[in-house]
């Protein structure tokens, strides 16, 4: 085990205090950790030892482990009182063995009191622009979304079996001016087209800071085996979102094309997002988790903080 990662079996006595384990401690995980560090002990699973110094600088204790190597996770059992799971599934197949390996490790000893899993609103597939709340059944159209549905099912089953509060956060497009690739600026500079208004799709958004706050609230306030939409209040079609960003940045608005023209000009991954339309209800987020959005629409969050 690399010397700059804490051996899981040799944590000092101070870790007996409330502690949160973050699995998938990227941008959002680190935003959540910054809010937690003054109050609780924060640990993060780390596959690459080179990430450890940056995490330590944030007051996070890095722990060596790899979700693709189940044996490396065994000592995670009993390590944390709450777990925030933000790691993505593999890029192939329709299952999520990474989540399975994590849950198996957590089940070996006293389970965490709460587990929060960051999923995607893509599990609904195309809803034809309809309003969607958390009671709507998933209908994934892509293997990427199918993997998330499989992971959600395992997380909720773990919660029931272990007596843990397992909450699922369904997350739309994440943006923030201080997040790598977190704004449409580069796409606007490339002049990537968007769909004509009559063929455009509704899209949903959440600022990375609001998402981080929702993760923490779910760790303490989330109901057992509950699903929450972590989405802002906007009702924007995709083209309108890019027009808004272009106006804020003083850039030309993107060209509008038909769906047939888009199919000839755009990569399959981008086209897949243009094939799903839905509007998310976020009442449960506000009522149960009691989150007050700091960025109710992208208009207030796309520009850098002053």
């Amino acid at each position: 085990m690399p010397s700059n990662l804490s051996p899981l079996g040799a944590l000092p006595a101070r870790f007996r205090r409330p502690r949160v384990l973050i699995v998938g401690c990227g941008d959002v995980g680190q935003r959540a950790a910054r809010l937690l560090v003054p109050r609780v002990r924060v640990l993060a699973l780390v596959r690459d030892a080179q990430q450890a110094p940056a995490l330590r600088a944030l007051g996070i204790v890095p722990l060596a482990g790899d979700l693709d190597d189940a044996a490396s996770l065994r000592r995670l059992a009993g390590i944390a009182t709450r777990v925030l799971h933000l790691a993505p599934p593999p890029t192939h197949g329709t299952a999520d063995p990474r989540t399975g390996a994590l849950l198996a490790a957590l089940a070996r000893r006293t389970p965490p009191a709460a587990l929060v899993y960051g999923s995607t609103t893509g599990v609904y597939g195309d809803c034809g622009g309809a309003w969607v709340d958390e009671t709507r059944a998933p209908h994934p159209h892509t293997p990427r979304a199918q993997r998330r549905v499989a992971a959600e099912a395992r997380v909720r089953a773990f919660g029931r079996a272990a007596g843990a509060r397992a909450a699922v956060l369904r997350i739309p497009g994440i943006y923030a001016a201080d997040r790598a690739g977190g704004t449409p600026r580069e796409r606007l500079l490339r002049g990537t087209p968007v769909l004509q208004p009559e063929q455009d799709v509704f899209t949903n958004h959440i600022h990375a800071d609001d998402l981080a706050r929702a993760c923490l609230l779910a760790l303490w306030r989330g109901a057992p085996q509950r699903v929450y939409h972590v989405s802002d209040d906007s009702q924007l079609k995709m083209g309108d979102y890019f027009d808004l960003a272009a106006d804020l940045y003083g850039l030309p608005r993107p060209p509008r094309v038909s769906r047939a023209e888009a199919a000839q000009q755009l990569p399959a991954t981008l086209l897949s997002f243009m094939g799903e339309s839905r509007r998310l209800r976020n009442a449960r987020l506000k009522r149960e988790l009691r989150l007050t959005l700091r960025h109710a629409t992208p208009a207030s969050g796309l520009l850098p903080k002053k």
Side-chain angles (χ1 to χ4, degrees):
M1 182 172 295
S3 60
N4 58 342
L5 299 184
S6 295
L8 294 182
L11 291 172
R14 65 179 180 273
F15 287 97
R16 295 170 189 167
R17 295 184 298 168
R19 53 208 180 276
V20 173
L21 170 66
I22 300 177
V23 179
C25 197
D27 175 69
V28 174
Q30 290 178 32
R31 289 171 194 260
R34 291 188 187 100
L35 300 173
L36 283 169
V37 165
R39 302 174 185 142
V40 302
R41 186 64 57 176
V42 181
L43 309 96
L45 187 69
V46 176
R47 179 173 59 181
D48 184 355
Q50 294 182 351
Q51 298 174 339
L55 294 179
R56 287 190 185 280
L58 296 174
I60 304 169
V61 178
L63 305 175
D66 188 341
L67 292 176
D68 292 324
D69 178 8
S72 72
L73 306 177
R74 277 182 283 183
R75 285 179 290 180
L76 286 179
I79 200 70
T81 53
R82 288 174 170 81
V83 176
L84 176 57
H85 176 19
L86 299 175
T91 57
H92 57 277
T94 57
D96 182 5
R98 292 175 178 170
T99 291
L102 173 65
L103 298 179
L106 296 176
R108 291 173 63 91
R109 291 180 59 187
T110 304
L115 168 66
V116 171
Y117 174 62
S119 184
T120 172
T121 56
V123 300
Y124 294 114
D126 180 30
C127 302
W131 281 102
V132 174
D133 65 19
E134 291 89 345
T135 64
R136 187 179 182 113
H139 188 59
H141 290 183
T142 66
R144 180 179 64 250
Q146 291 168 357
R147 292 189 287 270
R148 292 292 192 171
V149 171
E152 287 186 11
R154 298 191 77 158
V155 165
R156 297 172 79 180
F158 171 85
R160 290 190 293 268
R165 290 186 297 104
V168 172
L169 307 183
R170 289 181 178 157
I171 305 166
I174 307 169
Y175 75 95
D178 59 348
R179 171 182 168 90
T183 74
R185 185 185 294 273
E186 293 303 317
R187 177 171 162 170
L188 290 168
L189 290 171
R190 290 194 299 269
T192 304
V194 294
L195 292 173
Q196 295 171 349
E198 61 272 18
Q199 295 182 310
D200 207 355
V201 297
F202 282 101
T203 186
N204 305 274
H205 309 274
I206 188 68
H207 192 281
D209 287 342
D210 281 331
L211 174 55
R213 293 167 58 232
C215 289
L216 302 193
L217 291 173
L219 282 172
W220 270 268
R221 297 177 181 170
Q225 290 58 266
R226 195 71 155 161
V227 175
Y228 298 94
H229 289 164
V230 185
S231 181
D232 66 20
D233 295 335
S234 60
Q235 302 176 36
L236 292 171
K237 288 192 173 182
M238 185 177 290
D240 296 333
Y241 172 70
F242 286 101
D243 284 351
L244 169 65
D247 293 346
L248 289 172
Y249 301 149
L251 296 173
R253 290 185 171 188
R256 299 276 185 158
V257 298
S258 68
R259 187 170 292 276
E261 291 171 321
Q264 296 177 343
Q265 299 178 30
L266 300 176
T269 301
L270 185 53
L271 283 172
S272 70
F273 290 108
M274 293 180 167
E276 297 184 1
S277 182
R278 54 189 169 263
R279 287 173 284 179
L280 299 176
R281 299 192 187 278
N282 61 8
R284 189 178 286 183
L285 173 74
K286 297 176 178 180
R287 183 180 65 249
E288 297 185 14
L289 299 188
R290 304 197 294 278
L291 175 67
T292 300
L293 293 164
R294 292 180 179 168
H295 300 285
T297 74
S300 70
L302 280 170
L303 292 173
K305 297 177 183 177
K306 295 182 179 179

